[in-house]
Amino acid sequence: MAVLPTSSFALLGLLSIRTMSGYELAALADKSLAYFWPMHRSLIYRELHRLEQLGYVAGSDVRQQRLPDKRIYRLTGPGRAALVDWLAQPGFRPPQYRNEFLVKLFFAHQLQPAQVHALLADYREAVALDLADLEATVGKLDAIPQGRFGQLIAGHGMRTRRAILEWIAEAEQALGRDAAAGRGIPPSTPSGGARP
Amino acid sequence: MAVLPTSSFALLGLLSIRTMSGYELAALADKSLAYFWPMHRSLIYRELHRLEQLGYVAGSDVRQQRLPDKRIYRLTGPGRAALVDWLAQPGFRPPQYRNEFLVKLFFAHQLQPAQVHALLADYREAVALDLADLEATVGKLDAIPQGRFGQLIAGHGMRTRRAILEWIAEAEQALGRDAAAGRGIPPSTPSGGARP
DNA sequence: GTTCCCATGTAACCCGTTACATGATTTT
DNA sequence: AAAATCATGTAACGGGTTACATGGGAAC
């Protein structure tokens, strides 16, 4: 049993739902797994090649006239065995959080207060958009047999994003207090901002 | 101005605090930035080479007798300019969340309830450990001039992790109800757990 | 009737990870 | 005295991202 990256098993899992082409896999992944495990199309194609070589999936060419020819893949017996083996194995890689915004904020003492506020505002907008996207998708998850777990997982995403929004409000208050108390632009003065 | 990855600017930012060797940078990053932007030592050394070629940092060799010789780097004028330029630029890459646990949970209908509970228990343990680590570190952040922002950023990490712990409790309840109602192991039987 | 989007994929790059190296100092 | 740790780094691998290709339909 070769050591495979998580994305391989994610694809095996998706193919356990139904047989699909690489393009369809990418589309489905983008609406489900992407919220916690994004995969680019290129990666999917490469992984499918490898999984086929390993015998975990079997592909067959399909001719199409209007659209480009495609290759659809189905999960094989060994593929399903590898999938459930991976699923049952209790360990997992610790979650990775990479947040460029926080890196900037970490060095934000080199910025002016107005710039920090602009950064925070951008962050809030991005997180709010992300949350809205999640909330909009949560209703459509029932189309997938994973529905029950899908709801649960969407809850994970929503809880963390709401926590971030709460943090942003707290951070804005803290920075506002600082600006009012010290060396900064006073808060809520309608005229004096450095930004247009 | 070449396009550089976030890690480059993270290093410039650390070098804006004080001059350091690669090893010291790695040690400092591991106690601060690593919570939201981990960097391996190898990456740091490679980035330092590049930053030196770009003229953003200047390195000088330091002989040592007990310890191996080292090379310490200081931020140059152009380096500082690149840093503040990057900081002030309002955009940032959207945060990346990669959570292998959620991938497994997404396909967890292929598992038995006890296995799902074991997965959840592992997750809770990992998150709780992570949170404890963060809480232990939050007091020591004042050693760095970023102190004020450091507290804020630690709050970000703590809020999200607490939200996850709340989600885990919710998930365990939901799965417990399901197990009680249907095809599964009944919840809160004092003897039958798979974990000690 | 150009311009944009759909559906399908290949090729190249590079950041981040893992493995390797080394001599002194401390611990068991 | 063997083993682990510290303090420094180099080299190789590979997963994930970005760029490239293409031909038919839809939109404007």
Side-chain angles (χ1 to χ4, degrees):
Chain A
M1 55 189 104
V3 176
L4 294 174
T6 303
S7 299
S8 305
F9 297 106
L11 292 175
L12 292 179
L14 290 176
L15 287 176
S16 80
I17 300 173
R18 60 183 170 85
T19 164
M20 273 177 284
S21 71
Y23 189 85
E24 290 172 293
L25 278 166
L28 178 54
D30 198 48
K31 285 174 186 155
S32 54
L33 292 172
Y35 291 99
F36 45 94
W37 199 267
M39 288 182 293
H40 284 247
R41 293 205 330 280
S42 315
L43 176 62
I44 291 175
Y45 289 121
R46 203 204 296 150
E47 288 299 333
L48 284 173
H49 290 329
R50 163 158 56 180
L51 292 172
E52 191 171 23
Q53 300 245 310
L54 288 170
Y56 288 172
V57 304
S60 58
D61 288 315
V62 175
R63 291 281 172 80
Q64 296 184 120
Q65 53 274 47
R66 328 242 146 172
L67 300 176
D69 298 350
K70 66 181 176 183
R71 187 169 180 80
I72 58 171
Y73 294 90
R74 68 172 178 81
L75 190 62
T76 67
R80 184 174 296 275
L83 172 62
V84 299
D85 192 66
W86 176 77
L87 283 174
Q89 187 174 319
F92 50 82
R93 305 266 149 156
Q96 294 173 23
Y97 304 101
R98 285 191 176 266
N99 193 323
E100 186 178 27
F101 160 76
L102 290 178
V103 179
K104 288 197 176 187
L105 192 65
F106 189 70
F107 299 111
H109 66 284
Q110 315 205 17
L111 290 177
Q112 297 186 343
Q115 292 178 306
V116 181
H117 275 94
L119 259 180
L120 262 172
D122 279 358
Y123 189 49
R124 182 179 45 207
E125 195 177 344
V127 174
L129 254 173
D130 201 28
L131 176 59
D133 190 29
L134 236 180
E135 284 170 339
T137 315
V138 76
K140 308 173 193 165
L141 285 181
D142 304 306
I144 305 177
Q146 278 72 17
R148 220 168 48 89
F149 289 107
Q151 298 286 343
L152 220 55
I153 288 168
H156 188 286
M158 293 191 295
R159 269 187 189 269
T160 51
R161 280 152 182 86
R162 289 195 188 111
I164 292 177
L165 288 178
E166 290 167 16
W167 173 86
I168 292 173
E170 173 192 294
E172 281 174 339
Q173 278 198 355
L175 294 178
R177 271 198 310 277
D178 278 16
R183 37 128 191 79
I185 294 171
S188 70
T189 39
S191 66
R195 300 175 65 84
Chain B
M1 57 191 106
V3 176
L4 294 175
T6 304
S7 298
S8 305
F9 297 105
L11 293 175
L12 292 179
L14 290 176
L15 286 176
S16 80
I17 301 173
R18 60 183 170 84
T19 163
M20 272 178 284
S21 71
Y23 188 87
E24 290 171 293
L25 278 166
L28 178 55
D30 197 49
K31 285 174 186 155
S32 54
L33 291 172
Y35 291 98
F36 44 94
W37 200 269
M39 289 183 291
H40 284 248
R41 294 206 328 280
S42 314
L43 176 62
I44 291 175
Y45 289 121
R46 204 204 296 149
E47 288 299 333
L48 284 173
H49 290 329
R50 164 159 55 181
L51 291 172
E52 191 171 21
Q53 300 246 311
L54 288 170
Y56 288 172
V57 304
S60 59
D61 288 314
V62 174
R63 291 281 171 79
Q64 297 184 119
Q65 53 275 47
R66 328 239 145 174
L67 299 177
D69 298 350
K70 66 181 176 182
R71 188 170 180 81
I72 59 171
Y73 294 89
R74 68 172 178 83
L75 190 62
T76 66
R80 182 173 297 274
L83 171 62
V84 300
D85 192 66
W86 175 78
L87 283 173
Q89 187 174 318
F92 49 84
R93 305 266 149 158
Q96 293 173 23
Y97 304 103
R98 285 191 176 265
N99 192 324
E100 186 178 28
F101 159 76
L102 290 179
V103 179
K104 288 197 176 187
L105 191 65
F106 189 69
F107 299 111
H109 66 284
Q110 314 205 17
L111 290 177
Q112 297 185 345
Q115 292 177 306
V116 180
H117 275 94
L119 258 181
L120 263 172
D122 279 358
Y123 189 49
R124 183 179 45 208
E125 195 176 344
V127 174
L129 254 173
D130 201 29
L131 177 58
D133 190 29
L134 235 179
E135 285 169 338
T137 315
V138 76
K140 308 173 193 165
L141 285 180
D142 302 307
I144 304 177
Q146 278 73 17
R148 219 166 51 88
F149 289 108
Q151 297 288 343
L152 219 54
I153 289 167
H156 188 286
M158 293 192 295
R159 270 187 190 268
T160 51
R161 280 151 182 88
R162 289 196 187 111
I164 293 176
L165 288 178
E166 290 168 17
W167 172 84
I168 292 173
E170 172 191 294
E172 281 173 340
Q173 279 198 355
L175 294 177
R177 273 199 308 277
D178 279 14
R183 36 134 191 78
I185 293 170
S188 69
T189 40
S191 66
R195 302 177 64 82

